[in-house]
Amino acid sequence: MDQLIQLAIELVKIVVIAVVVLVFMMVAVLYMVLKLRWVIARIQSRLGPNRTGPWGVLQTVADALKLLQKEDIIPCGADKWLFTIAPALVFIPAYLVYVVIPFGRGMAPSQLAMTHSLGEIGKLPGLSIGVMYLSAISSIGVIGIVVAGWASNNKWSLLGAFRGASQLIAYEVPIILAMVVPVLVSGSMDLSAIVDKQAGGFWHWNLFQLQAGPALPIAFLMLIIAGLAEINVTPFDIMEAESELVAGFNTEYSGMKFALFFLAEFAAAFTLAAIITTLFLGGYNPPLAFLGGQLSGLAFSAVSLFWFLAKCWVLVIFIMWVRSTLPRVRVDQLMNLAWKALIPVGLVNLLLAGAYVTFWMAK
Amino acid sequence: MKNKTVIIKDIINSFVSIPKGLWITLVNWSIARPCVTELYPEQKRQLPQNYRGIPVLPVDPKTGKSRCIACGACARMCPEHIITVEIDKSDPKDRKPSEFSIDISRCMWCGLCTEACPVNCLVMGKDFELATYTREGMIYNLEDLMRLGGEFPAEEVVEEIAEEKKEESES
Ligand code: SF4
Ligand code: SF4
């Protein structure tokens, strides 16, 4: 009986954590969409949304409500079952990735699920295969995209899905090549351990570590470039290129299903920012020690949550900035960039980092 | 196949031009460039002097009436045949319209009617917010047109506009 109650408590805790993460994701996405529209508007000398609510802050909430009310159309030639399941196939991996993201010390959802008391926060290790889990789960999303394009029975959708498949598969490789470098240098796949290695001031961050030659900064650049392609924002958004493919793989989608695609896309942008922050920008560590580094226990966890979100937010704004600056590349240029530039550079870079770790790193 | 120097140039170029582009958008993003958006219902645009809004019949401030002599030139000139003029025959010494209506829904704001008017009493007004809930609401009769027309502009203004038009047609 006691064990049953224990199990029930565990289950409730996991559900609560899952819901909190989901709510966080939705709020973050709603605000990111709004911020994106503001940023792009300002860059184009416009004002952006400013009507709904004070300064237009309720604009995306209104948009979401509109999408909820919309009729859910399934085109008559579509494969109904696949058409319905595709948004979930895209959304679920984007959501699952959040399991390992260390939002603060001991605050990755996977760690929280194991924690039994407040005192334990920050003392548990993260998922030991964190980086592998990240790259594995985030590459599942492409299946949903291909399914969506195939099931829509629309040539634009299908073309978008094909492009998406080739793009995402091509860019998965440089992303992993770039993510492996900090893993090698830190000697761990556990995201929390990688972050803890970078504690101290910003000069301890992986980005500014030069003992392995330029390996880490190059990996950082590669991760940004390939990551932009992976989350398909504008310089690399060929799979939903509006001017060529209507809306790409989600042309036929409307209402809630479309909202799920949209949610997944922006959630992926946040995930990218979170991965870059964790691997290269010191994760939840404050940039200067006196900005919270002297704290310990729960207080540090709270401060670290703030720093993590702040760094992610800066990166998200940077992604928006790039997105509103660069024009879209052609399909062949995109493929060339991945196979002819990023992957060879990544391999050489990996060799460099490997050589450093094997021969020179202080044992 | 591109030769090697071109490829190296391309690579260097991309490292220079992307930060350059980012810098340009950053300058735009900062306060250096004000927004060009006009918040329409609150802020209205300054209309140019010869703006062509709805054709209206201004009132002569001396008599309090329109100067229209119901000659029907405007109705004949209108390419859309949307102006209806009926003569008030009660006083043979004072020709005036008994009925004057324009179906604005079909007007194309060409201004030919105002050019045809021999007494310059039909002018293009400045109103452009003309939406209504019914089709009949788009038909403006004599009173509406006089109300929208307001006071007759001073002779000098009329002449100025005529002068401008003349210059335009000559150039
Ligand atoms: S502006 Fe042109 S279309 Fe309109 S009433 Fe005058 S002549 Fe007719
Ligand atoms: S042309 Fe002028 S004067 Fe003649 S009917 Fe029209 S508005 Fe009246």
Side-chain angles (χ1 to χ4, degrees), chain A:
Chain A
M1 194 62 206
D2 257 9
Q3 265 174 336
L4 225 63
I5 292 174
Q6 205 67 40
L7 195 70
I9 291 174
E10 289 289 292
L11 271 178
V12 168
K13 200 172 72 188
I14 289 174
V15 169
V16 167
I17 292 171
V19 170
V20 167
V21 171
L22 191 64
V23 169
F24 167 78
M25 189 173 154
M26 291 201 178
V27 173
V29 168
L30 281 183
Y31 191 63
M32 271 161 71
V33 176
L34 185 68
K35 188 70 193 171
L36 174 71
R37 289 169 68 177
W38 276 337
V39 166
I40 292 189
R42 267 315 277 123
I43 285 177
Q44 297 169 349
S45 298
R46 296 183 286 113
L47 281 173
N50 65 347
R51 293 284 147 156
T52 327
W55 311 289
V57 287
L58 294 179
Q59 182 63 50
T60 41
V61 178
D63 288 346
L65 286 178
K66 180 201 76 177
L67 281 176
L68 275 174
Q69 292 169 2
K70 267 195 167 176
E71 189 189 348
D72 189 19
I73 301 167
I74 298 182
C76 60
D79 184 330
K80 281 201 184 61
W81 202 75
L82 285 181
F83 189 81
T84 316
I85 208 166
L89 282 181
V90 174
F91 175 74
I92 290 173
Y95 174 43
L96 282 182
V97 163
Y98 281 69
V99 167
V100 289
I101 292 178
F103 289 97
R105 175 184 282 167
M107 285 217 233
S110 67
Q111 285 168 319
L112 285 179
M114 309 274 286
T115 315
H116 294 287
S117 67
L118 276 181
E120 263 184 68
I121 287 185
K123 303 223 166 62
L124 291 171
L127 194 63
S128 58
I129 50 160
V131 173
M132 198 171 118
Y133 174 87
L134 255 182
S135 48
I137 294 289
S138 58
S139 55
I140 293 179
V142 64
I143 297 176
I145 285 167
V146 175
V147 166
W150 173 254
S152 298
N153 190 28
N154 173 321
K155 53 186 173 232
W156 304 123
S157 303
L158 194 56
L159 269 176
F162 282 164
R163 285 178 172 198
S166 55
Q167 173 185 348
L168 295 185
I169 290 168
Y171 278 89
E172 204 61 51
V173 184
I175 282 193
I176 292 170
L177 288 178
M179 291 207 308
V180 167
V181 175
V183 169
L184 271 180
V185 174
S186 314
S188 169
M189 275 211 183
D190 176 1
L191 289 166
S192 312
I194 294 177
V195 172
D196 285 337
K197 279 254 161 76
Q198 305 176 56
F202 63 86
W203 56 92
H204 290 287
W205 294 357
N206 273 339
L207 171 59
F208 303 114
Q209 295 294 305
L210 289 174
Q211 77 275 56
L216 282 165
I218 288 178
F220 173 75
L221 261 183
M222 272 178 57
L223 188 56
I224 285 192
I225 295 172
L228 285 178
E230 186 73 6
I231 61 172
N232 63 87
V233 300
T234 287
F236 308 113
D237 68 337
I238 55 158
M239 71 194 240
E240 48 188 77
E242 291 89 354
S243 43
E244 301 161 26
L245 292 181
V246 190
F249 67 97
N250 60 21
T251 306
E252 293 289 354
Y253 282 87
S254 60
M256 238 5 248
K257 293 192 187 123
F258 174 75
L260 275 185
F261 279 127
F262 209 65
L263 200 63
E265 197 183 316
F266 277 84
F270 185 84
T271 312
L272 176 68
I275 294 173
I276 297 176
T277 307
T278 309
L279 294 181
F280 290 98
L281 299 179
Y284 47 69
N285 288 309
L288 290 168
F290 64 86
L291 292 170
Q294 79 281 29
L295 299 169
S296 59
L298 229 48
F300 181 74
S301 289
V303 172
S304 62
L305 179 66
F306 165 77
W307 280 114
F308 181 81
L309 292 182
K311 286 176 193 174
C312 283
W313 191 243
V314 169
L315 270 175
V316 164
I317 302 274
F318 175 76
I319 292 172
M320 290 172 184
W321 179 22
V322 171
R323 178 182 180 143
S324 49
T325 302
L326 299 178
R328 182 183 304 133
V329 298
R330 278 199 322 261
V331 184
D332 58 322
Q333 289 169 333
L334 186 87
M335 289 298 140
N336 277 351
L337 182 64
W339 295 110
K340 289 189 186 165
L342 288 179
I343 293 178
V345 169
L347 285 171
V348 172
N349 197 34
L350 186 58
L351 204 65
L352 196 70
Y356 159 73
V357 170
T358 334
F359 300 120
W360 293 294
M361 194 162 79
K363 290 282 165 5

Side-chain angles (χ1 to χ4, degrees), chain B residues 55 74 77-83 102 104 106-114 122 124:
Chain B
C74 52
M77 185 57 105
C78 177
E80 298 283 343
H81 304 294
I82 55 178
I83 306 182
I102 305 183
I104 281 305
R106 276 157 55 209
C107 178
M108 57 176 175
W109 324 105
C110 63
L112 288 176
C113 49
T114 62
L122 192 62
M124 298 304 271

Side-chain angles (χ1 to χ4, degrees), chain B residues 26-99:
Chain B
L26 186 69
V27 171
N28 250 8
W29 191 357
S30 65
I31 41 174
R33 273 273 294 267
C35 286
V36 293
T37 312
E38 283 169 8
L39 294 168
Y40 162 61
E42 289 102 44
Q43 284 173 7
K44 280 187 192 144
R45 166 174 291 217
Q46 199 74 44
L47 294 171
Q49 178 127 75
N50 51 0
Y51 180 79
R52 299 206 302 254
I54 174 175
V56 288
L57 291 168
V59 175
D60 192 338
K62 281 176 221 138
T63 58
K65 285 190 220 142
S66 167
R67 282 190 205 160
C68 176
I69 51 171
C71 66
C74 52
R76 276 194 302 283
M77 185 57 105
C78 177
E80 298 283 343
H81 304 294
I82 55 178
I83 306 182
T84 330
V85 191
E86 240 140 72
I87 311 168
D88 183 355
K89 290 194 175 130
S90 55
D91 184 357
K93 286 203 181 120
D94 181 18
R95 261 177 80 102
K96 56 182 185 298
S98 65
E99 207 179 280

